[in-house]
Amino acid sequence: LSIYSFVFFLLNIPAFSQNGIEGLHYDIQVRLDTSDHSLKASQTVQFTNATDKKLDVVYFHLWANAYQDNYSPLVQQQLRMNNTSLHFAHKLNRGGYKAIQFSETETGNVLEVKYQDDSKEIAEIFLTKGLAAGEEISIRVEYEIKIPRLYSRFGRRKNYYQITQWYPKLAKFEDGIWHTMPYLDIGEFYSDFANYNVSIDAPVGYEIASTGVENSKGKYSANKVIDFAWFCSPKFKLASKQVAINSKVIELQVYNYNSNPLFDNAMEFLERSLRFYSEEVGDYPYTTMTLVLSEYAKGGMEYPSITVIGAKDEESLDHLVAHEVGHNWFYAALASNERKHAWMDEGLNSFYDHKYHLKYYNDAPYNNLVPSYLRNAHAYNILEAGFRGQEVLRKHQASNLSSELYSPLNYGIAAYQKPAVGYAFLESYLGKKKFKQIVQSYYAKYAHTNVKPEELQAEFESGANENLDWFFKDYIGSESQIDISVNNIENANGGCQVEIENKSSIDAPVQLSLLKENAVVDSMWVAGFSGKKTVALDQCDFEQVILFNEIINPDINGTNNSLKKSGLFKKGQSTNFKLLGGIQSRNKRDLFYFPHAAFNAYDKLMLGVGFYNSSFPPKGFRFAFAPAYSFNAKQLVGFGLLEKDLLFDSERFRKGIASFGFKRYNYFDNGYQLHYAKFTPELRFYFKTDPLVKTTKSLSLRVINLIEEYPIFNEESVSFDETYSLYSELKYSSNGQDVLAPVNFSASLEYGNYDGFSGARENFLKISSEYAYAYQFVKSKFFKFRLFGGYFLMNSQRESGSMASRFARGSFSLMSQGFTDYKYDETYLGRTNQTGVESRQISLTDGGFKDSPGSSYRIGLSNDYALAMNVKTDFPFDVKIPIKLYFDMGAVSTKSTAVQELKSKAYYSGGLAFEFLDETIGIYLPLVQSTEISDSYLDRTFLQKISFTVNTRKFNFWRAMEETSF
Ligand SMILES: [Zn+2]
């Protein structure tokens, strides 16, 4: 016995003797009143203070209160998931405690209650005389709950009642800490084991499904369980069956709401799931297992011996049944703290439900939901793709965080997918047999206890007989990513040696396979190491080394996992050609190609073949090219983009991207067909942001190099020349995605340098800024407000009368059209057209006006300053078409000839907007316009007053992935 273990031993004693609550017993009489959707109940909660200290207060959870108002953490979390139903719920559809009273059963003394939170979900109960160590108490609770419509787990729809997380529940008390927590969608619970006697009084004709067993009509009991849930409806079709698994008889029940035929095979799935888990983990812990199936349930939710499931197809139903049945082992029996360590139950359970799914479908869960043309034999499955995608984007979070700290997607990845992949990898490393022994002994030892993460790790380590910190501390407990590469193969000492490198901070073991003629000739595990390692082999009779060959593994970068001894392409990845697109391949290069047709007024029809290499999960190096043949210009046109991720450790930045974009198309000038070409190198850095605050922030520097052809008119002939312009733009953008009130902000500083008309180079330096705010005032109805301001700090053309032309570029424009798009950022059907439909295409940049006066009326332009304000609103009532009202106002200082003084002019314009696809496409009809704008419309027909916009920048999928918070 060393001194350290002696100290450790001493430290453990008080924790042991001060464990918490014992002998917890709930006795509940509850009546369901369907006329006012209420529960009227009376319950006693009996328990013993098993600590060595007196308790003056105890805590109860009143989770039904989460539905009462908009301040509950539930509503706040649902908003982060873009779910506004509860936020905008009608008062009649909400729910919560209408009355509640705590008293001492013995004396009848009413107990004082103090709420710990604004939503009154955590009640602190003051015990009159306190509860001495070892003493028992019984607390009586009388209460009435209004059942909300089904917005989360507790609620009702029509005559279907889901009574879960409903009764006043004693918080888990452990080692002197009360584990109090508000109710959440994302984030589960932590409870003491208790015995329940529940008598339920429901209207005649209502069937009840519940935790535990029914002893006599309406009387239920369940022993040593951590929760009690029930479900009730007159529309349940009941099927039941008795099965014997490992000589244990289990009563199976399936309650199918409205006899939905989609759930016809649920009983079969239930039985084989129970058999699967019993065989893998150990005996099923209860004597009944009940499934409640309803179209109103979202996904699945587990309760001891009962689970509720809603699925859209049979394969998902089977997966959900397996997953929720599995929770009887990992959650109900092994009752870890789900809120704080969701990876413990969800991770191990997901590992098993994947195994189950692979066994019966030869595929991963939910992969069937991806259209088959997006999948191929080498593609990541949908769950892997989500996991890798977040990791490559560097938006991932560690697996050991408390649930409320996760973004919705990251919860699914960190608590479910990442540990599931990890356990599969661990199983390959330890061997199937040893892994199974470890999990079975973990279950046998800790079933019916509140098991801790360190107990899970200790069980794995003693079974594996080695330290597994690389798994539990580094892989689960950090954001670090595993990346191993094979660097070199060479002959040495009559054999071969292979250099492998650990490019990460996780010293995970590495599986190394030798292949000859695509068959594995030898395979070995190399113990975890850091830095480079040389593996000596006693043979050289192989062609290729592959790491993690065909095993599920968490290596983030599969492209450096194989190396050939010789050949031109030693890295050895073959290319997967695929039409249109698909999910990225695991160990192959992808090249997606697509027929490409385009049109503009000058090139007319353009046809070509486009190709790109990166879909989802994204590659660290990406390219896309879309060359096309212009039938009018009879030349090659098109665009391309190359991007490379810049990864580095930084407190401030998530990642950087270096990119190079180019495009070349034609346009008209004075009736001549001319070309332009644009080359844009760019550096962009994304700031690290709180995953719970849905905002992306970036800083970018882009340098636009522009070559435009133009005609020179000589006396009798016309010749052509090219002008070169350079625009450097430094821009900060903050892109808010709050569902109720998103805020967008950007500020930029831009330097322009271009060929002036006189032949001299002209210059400008301008600053501009944009602020946009939207407010959802009724469900899906927004009021939007935008401000724009810009000023030229320097402009060699400030005093000229030319604006937005070849003579003076960079001018601010209240009304943005093709001829004002001097950086060629937008896509126009006819950027210089003065008549026809093409001339009425606008962009909502700069001043954001919706008018299209055209290049012959140079209205709202300035080489000095511009200010604008735009408002837009949905109608507060439902209309069949996506119609809005808009109003724009702005001012610029402008002049029309060089000799005039700069003079400020104000403009306004308002009308009706029709917008589609999140404002990607907009159609605008002005109704009121300031005189100068309306004068430019004098000879237009009604239809010619309509302008339109197509925001093609929204089609950039790579950028959308970077800038969308999931
Ligand atoms: Zn689960």
Side-chain angles (χ1 to χ4, degrees):
L1 195 77
S2 75
I3 183 72
Y4 295 106
S5 48
F6 182 66
V7 170
F8 187 66
F9 182 65
L10 283 180
L11 284 174
N12 264 314
I13 293 171
F16 209 78
S17 66
Q18 191 194 277
N19 203 6
I21 295 302
E22 268 176 18
L24 183 57
H25 191 108
Y26 288 86
D27 224 309
I28 310 176
Q29 278 90 44
V30 56
R31 187 164 70 84
L32 167 67
D33 189 337
T34 52
S35 66
D36 64 350
H37 309 297
S38 70
L39 295 173
K40 294 178 180 82
S42 161
Q43 97 183 28
T44 57
V45 187
Q46 194 181 316
F47 55 91
T48 301
N49 175 3
T51 71
D52 55 6
K53 290 198 179 69
K54 185 182 162 196
L55 290 175
D56 293 315
V57 293
V58 295
Y59 292 85
F60 275 83
H61 285 135
L62 309 181
W63 285 323
N65 276 339
Y67 308 89
Q68 234 159 13
D69 58 38
N70 281 341
Y71 303 103
S72 70
L74 170 67
V75 177
Q76 296 309 309
Q77 188 183 61
Q78 287 190 339
L79 291 176
R80 285 200 291 273
M81 295 189 279
N82 292 342
N83 177 354
T84 58
S85 337
L86 181 54
H87 176 90
F88 287 116
H90 192 277
K91 208 169 64 194
L92 293 174
N93 289 328
R94 290 179 175 273
Y97 284 84
K98 285 162 80 174
I100 184 162
Q101 181 179 283
F102 291 85
S103 61
E104 246 174 39
T105 312
E106 203 181 5
T107 62
N109 287 346
V110 173
L111 299 173
E112 188 197 336
V113 179
K114 214 169 109 191
Y115 291 101
Q116 295 290 300
D117 55 340
D118 293 340
S119 51
K120 299 188 175 176
E121 294 175 65
I122 302 164
E124 185 180 23
I125 311 298
F126 292 80
L127 304 176
T128 324
K129 280 188 253 146
L131 185 62
E135 210 174 56
E136 193 187 59
I137 193 173
S138 171
I139 295 174
R140 188 172 185 80
V141 199
E142 306 282 342
Y143 55 95
E144 185 179 342
I145 300 174
K146 184 166 173 289
I147 305 168
R149 200 180 136 104
L150 199 52
Y151 295 107
S152 181
R153 299 180 183 96
F154 172 53
R156 62 180 163 85
R157 279 299 294 276
K158 298 191 175 149
N159 50 13
Y160 170 76
Y161 290 86
Q162 203 166 289
I163 312 300
T164 65
Q165 274 85 28
W166 57 288
Y167 56 96
K169 190 175 185 183
L170 189 70
K172 167 81 183 157
F173 183 55
E174 185 179 55
D175 300 335
I177 294 161
W178 287 94
H179 289 268
T180 58
M181 57 188 81
Y183 178 85
L184 292 175
D185 261 351
I186 289 183
E188 296 180 341
F189 314 96
Y190 189 36
S191 315
D192 265 313
F193 285 88
N195 292 345
Y196 290 81
N197 283 317
V198 182
S199 72
I200 303 170
D201 180 5
V204 178
Y206 275 69
E207 288 258 23
I208 296 164
S210 86
T211 297
V213 293
E214 185 173 15
N215 302 311
S216 59
K217 184 146 177 57
K219 299 205 182 319
Y220 303 84
S221 68
N223 288 340
K224 275 213 118 179
V225 292
I226 54 171
D227 202 1
F228 190 97
W230 55 286
F231 305 81
C232 187
S233 174
K235 289 285 182 186
F236 280 145
K237 184 180 119 191
L238 171 65
S240 57
K241 183 181 182 181
Q242 276 199 347
V243 295
I245 303 175
N246 298 342
S247 75
K248 182 166 186 177
V249 178
I250 303 159
E251 171 86 15
L252 309 185
Q253 294 178 318
V254 175
Y255 290 80
N256 184 350
Y257 177 72
N258 268 343
S259 312
N260 190 337
L262 174 63
F263 305 139
D264 280 351
N265 292 324
M267 181 63 89
E268 182 198 326
F269 301 152
L270 174 59
E271 184 180 342
R272 78 178 184 194
S273 304
L274 272 173
R275 291 190 185 279
F276 175 85
Y277 274 89
S278 301
E279 154 61 23
E280 292 284 343
V281 189
D283 281 349
Y284 177 69
Y286 309 108
T287 56
T288 61
M289 177 59 211
T290 305
L291 283 189
V292 176
L293 305 165
S294 163
E295 66 199 273
Y296 297 134
K298 290 170 195 105
M301 182 60 194
E302 68 274 12
Y303 298 93
S305 81
I306 191 166
T307 189
V308 58
I309 289 169
K312 298 258 183 290
D313 66 89
E314 190 154 271
E315 195 175 322
S316 309
L317 172 71
D318 193 4
H319 168 249
L320 284 168
V321 169
H323 179 89
E324 305 308 340
V325 161
H327 271 303
N328 285 289
W329 283 264
F330 306 110
Y331 144 79
L334 294 159
S336 49
N337 185 339
E338 299 174 286
R339 180 65 59 93
K340 270 200 144 143
H341 315 293
W343 65 273
M344 281 186 75
D345 65 315
E346 297 296 0
L348 206 45
N349 193 26
S350 296
F351 162 73
Y352 282 107
D353 78 51
H354 291 192
K355 217 178 175 54
Y356 172 92
H357 210 86
L358 210 58
K359 182 174 174 179
Y360 292 106
Y361 296 89
N362 201 18
D363 200 357
Y366 301 118
N367 216 28
N368 64 317
L369 300 182
V370 181
S372 58
Y373 69 85
L374 294 178
R375 292 180 267 159
N376 71 65
H378 315 285
Y380 285 112
N381 66 54
I382 185 66
L383 297 176
E384 286 174 315
F387 169 37
R388 307 271 162 167
Q390 280 300 83
E391 297 249 336
V392 172
L393 292 168
R394 294 207 154 185
K395 294 181 177 180
H396 62 289
Q397 293 174 272
S399 285
N400 66 336
L401 305 180
S402 196
S403 303
E404 67 276 6
L405 300 175
Y406 287 113
S407 74
L409 179 62
N410 278 349
Y411 180 70
I413 290 167
Y416 295 68
Q417 185 59 19
K418 184 179 176 180
V421 166
Y423 285 120
F425 179 64
L426 201 55
E427 188 192 36
S428 296
Y429 172 58
L430 299 174
K432 281 198 158 87
K433 196 174 152 211
K434 194 184 268 183
F435 188 91
K436 190 168 173 178
Q437 279 169 358
I438 291 171
V439 175
Q440 291 194 341
S441 99
Y442 169 60
Y443 175 61
K445 191 165 169 184
Y446 294 103
H448 309 295
T449 73
N450 294 114
V451 62
K452 309 284 180 301
E454 48 280 13
E455 290 167 333
L456 174 62
Q457 179 173 355
E459 203 56 32
F460 264 93
E461 289 184 336
S462 82
N465 199 20
E466 67 178 80
N467 179 294
L468 294 173
D469 273 350
W470 67 267
F471 185 85
F472 291 98
K473 297 265 184 305
D474 300 335
Y475 179 69
I476 294 292
S478 84
E479 282 179 16
S480 303
Q481 301 166 319
I482 294 175
D483 179 17
I484 319 286
S485 74
V486 48
N487 291 351
N488 191 26
I489 307 170
E490 58 187 32
N491 294 314
N493 308 325
C496 254
Q497 61 183 32
V498 179
E499 186 189 271
I500 50 179
E501 183 178 355
N502 182 357
K503 298 187 163 186
S504 74
S505 59
I506 302 180
D507 297 348
V510 179
Q511 191 213 40
L512 191 148
S513 302
L514 310 178
L515 280 84
K516 191 177 176 184
E517 287 160 4
N518 291 321
V520 176
V521 293
D522 197 7
S523 201
M524 67 207 74
W525 280 93
V526 179
F529 60 95
S530 58
K532 287 178 184 166
K533 181 169 179 107
T534 304
V535 181
L537 306 167
D538 53 13
Q539 61 142 318
C540 263
D541 191 18
F542 61 90
E543 292 162 355
Q544 190 180 10
V545 171
I546 297 187
L547 307 181
F548 312 116
N549 183 46
E550 295 185 348
I551 61 167
I552 296 174
N553 69 81
D555 190 306
I556 187 67
N557 181 7
T559 62
N560 58 16
N561 286 2
S562 70
L563 193 66
K564 285 181 177 152
K565 267 161 64 176
S566 59
L568 204 53
F569 299 104
K570 283 181 154 188
K571 293 269 179 189
Q573 291 187 325
S574 56
T575 302
N576 169 49
F577 293 91
K578 196 158 189 330
L579 182 65
L580 299 179
I583 291 187
Q584 206 80 48
S585 298
R586 275 193 199 91
N587 294 315
K588 281 180 179 274
R589 253 181 247 132
D590 291 291
L591 194 65
F592 305 107
Y593 58 95
F594 56 95
H596 165 52
F599 181 87
N600 70 40
Y602 326 109
D603 291 300
K604 304 289 184 193
L605 181 66
M606 294 168 273
L607 287 178
V609 177
F611 44 97
Y612 63 102
N613 78 325
S614 174
S615 61
F616 190 80
K619 291 274 196 193
F621 172 72
R622 306 172 282 278
F623 62 78
F625 300 103
Y629 180 75
S630 157
F631 283 87
N632 193 42
K634 299 191 172 45
Q635 53 183 243
L636 206 59
V637 294
F639 67 90
L641 180 62
L642 297 135
E643 288 191 353
K644 171 102 178 70
D645 284 347
L646 307 173
L647 304 180
F648 43 82
D649 285 322
S650 159
E651 287 290 304
R652 181 149 293 165
F653 296 104
R654 171 165 63 83
K655 71 188 274 190
I657 294 175
S659 71
F660 182 73
F662 56 90
K663 68 175 176 179
R664 181 189 202 275
Y665 288 100
N666 287 288
Y667 69 109
F668 278 167
D669 189 353
N670 282 292
Y672 293 97
Q673 167 106 13
L674 307 162
H675 67 254
Y676 73 86
K678 176 180 170 181
F679 307 91
T680 314
E682 179 177 354
L683 266 179
R684 196 161 70 237
F685 294 95
Y686 287 101
F687 289 87
K688 272 190 182 159
T689 46
D690 182 344
L692 297 182
V693 179
K694 298 175 64 173
T695 302
T696 48
K697 294 176 179 171
S698 65
L699 188 66
S700 68
L701 174 65
R702 61 176 189 147
V703 180
I704 295 164
N705 298 274
L706 196 64
I707 292 163
E708 293 157 290
E709 202 183 6
Y710 69 97
I712 302 168
F713 299 99
N714 307 313
E715 267 175 47
E716 300 257 299
S717 63
V718 178
S719 60
F720 299 93
D721 201 356
E722 286 177 338
T723 78
Y724 170 70
S725 316
L726 174 95
Y727 306 104
S728 303
E729 182 190 51
L730 182 68
K731 184 171 184 174
Y732 169 82
S733 306
S734 165
N735 170 17
Q737 293 147 57
D738 185 282
V739 69
L740 290 181
V743 175
N744 281 276
F745 173 78
S746 71
S748 71
L749 179 68
E750 181 184 329
Y751 173 73
N753 180 281
Y754 56 94
D755 284 326
F757 193 62
S758 62
R761 292 295 282 181
E762 303 286 348
N763 298 285
F764 66 76
L765 181 65
K766 71 176 183 184
I767 50 168
S768 62
S769 181
E770 184 185 328
Y771 169 88
Y773 170 79
Y775 178 68
Q776 193 175 161
F777 57 93
V778 178
K779 192 168 166 55
S780 307
K781 306 284 183 194
F782 283 90
F783 170 80
K784 296 189 174 183
F785 172 81
R786 179 180 177 271
L787 280 178
F788 171 82
Y791 176 66
F792 282 93
L793 297 170
M794 177 194 103
N795 192 346
S796 57
Q797 288 293 305
R798 193 190 304 268
E799 296 297 335
S800 88
S802 298
M803 280 157 218
S805 67
R806 246 187 43 231
F807 316 125
R809 296 171 195 262
S811 310
F812 291 117
S813 55
L814 293 183
M815 290 139 243
S816 299
Q817 290 192 258
F819 73 96
T820 66
D821 181 30
Y822 63 98
K823 284 184 285 195
Y824 291 76
D825 279 343
E826 311 293 328
T827 305
Y828 281 95
L829 283 171
R831 58 176 56 242
T832 59
N833 280 26
Q834 301 200 22
T835 56
V837 176
E838 295 94 336
S839 71
R840 295 190 283 277
Q841 184 180 351
I842 58 165
S843 293
L844 302 182
T845 50
D846 274 22
F849 275 52
K850 319 295 184 291
D851 311 277
S852 57
S855 57
S856 41
Y857 295 93
R858 305 217 157 220
I859 303 173
L861 297 166
S862 176
N863 293 339
D864 188 35
Y865 83 84
L867 285 172
M869 184 178 93
N870 317 96
V871 291
K872 193 159 66 185
T873 183
D874 285 304
F875 287 94
F877 45 84
D878 271 320
V879 275
K880 293 243 155 44
I881 36 174
I883 188 170
K884 297 168 191 177
L885 283 174
Y886 71 85
F887 190 78
D888 305 315
M889 52 197 284
V892 294
S893 81
T894 192
K895 56 159 100 175
S896 39
T897 59
V899 291
Q900 289 175 328
E901 289 283 299
L902 274 169
K903 197 173 138 204
S904 287
K905 276 190 180 179
Y907 303 85
Y908 66 83
S909 176
L912 296 173
F914 305 86
E915 291 176 323
F916 308 90
L917 303 173
D918 191 23
E919 305 188 350
T920 304
I921 294 168
I923 296 167
Y924 306 95
L925 173 68
L927 297 175
V928 288
Q929 289 168 315
S930 52
T931 324
E932 202 176 337
I933 306 174
S934 64
D935 283 353
S936 77
Y937 275 49
L938 276 180
D939 47 8
R940 292 196 187 191
T941 64
F942 175 78
L943 285 179
Q944 287 169 340
K945 291 181 179 169
I946 294 172
S947 61
F948 70 96
T949 185
V950 183
N951 187 354
T952 52
R953 282 181 296 176
K954 287 210 175 194
F955 301 154
N956 187 337
F957 177 67
W958 295 343
R959 189 139 184 179
M961 275 191 290
E962 292 293 348
E963 301 186 358
T964 309
S965 303
F966 302 105

